[in-house]
């Protein structure tokens, strides 16, 4: 029952305000101990051509830190380079 409600809420949030929904997923992937690389990769790669600019703006507004800086802080080497390239960082 709880899993069904959580899934339904996620679907509604994704449809009504996708930039805020995906910002939250990125924030949760970067927060806490370690980085949820699967979630971070999934969101950035699937949204890169669609609405990543809006997600970056929502992240900046919510966290007062550019998404590029947060990704660079929590990732390293080639993985960091790939994600930053997808984010449009130079």
């Amino acid at each position: 029952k709880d899993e069904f409600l959580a899934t339904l809420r996620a679907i509604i949030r994704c449809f009504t305000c996708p930039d805020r929904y995906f910002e939250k997923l990125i924030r949760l992937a970067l927060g806490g101990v370690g980085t949820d690389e699967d979630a971070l990769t999934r969101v950035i790669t699937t949204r890169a051509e669609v609405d990543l600019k809006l997600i970056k703006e929502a992240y900046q507004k919510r966290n007062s830190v550019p998404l590029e800086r947060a990704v660079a802080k929590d990732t390293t080497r080639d993985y960091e380079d790939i994600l930053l390239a997808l984010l449009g960082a130079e």
Side-chain angles (χ1 to χ4, degrees):
K1 181 178 179 181
D2 292 334
E3 188 174 323
F4 174 75
L5 289 176
T7 303
L8 187 58
R9 285 186 187 112
I11 291 169
I12 292 170
R13 287 181 186 140
C14 187
F15 280 129
T16 57
C17 197
D19 54 328
R20 287 181 36 206
Y21 173 74
F22 289 113
E23 178 276 326
K24 181 178 181 179
L25 291 179
I26 291 174
R27 184 169 27 92
L28 292 174
L30 292 173
V33 178
T35 301
D36 184 353
E37 294 178 354
D38 292 335
L40 184 62
T41 302
R42 188 177 332 107
V43 172
I44 291 178
T45 56
T46 59
R47 308 311 294 183
E49 293 183 352
V50 182
D51 56 0
L52 193 56
K53 183 178 179 182
L54 295 174
I55 296 168
K56 286 169 43 175
E57 291 171 2
Y59 190 91
Q60 169 88 31
K61 183 178 179 182
R62 166 80 190 221
N63 302 290
S64 301
V65 174
L67 181 56
E68 292 89 346
R69 188 180 309 159
V71 168
K73 180 182 172 201
D74 276 15
T75 57
T76 58
R77 298 189 190 105
D78 292 336
Y79 183 60
E80 175 185 356
D81 295 340
I82 290 170
L83 292 180
L84 291 177
L86 289 171
L87 290 170
E90 305 219 358

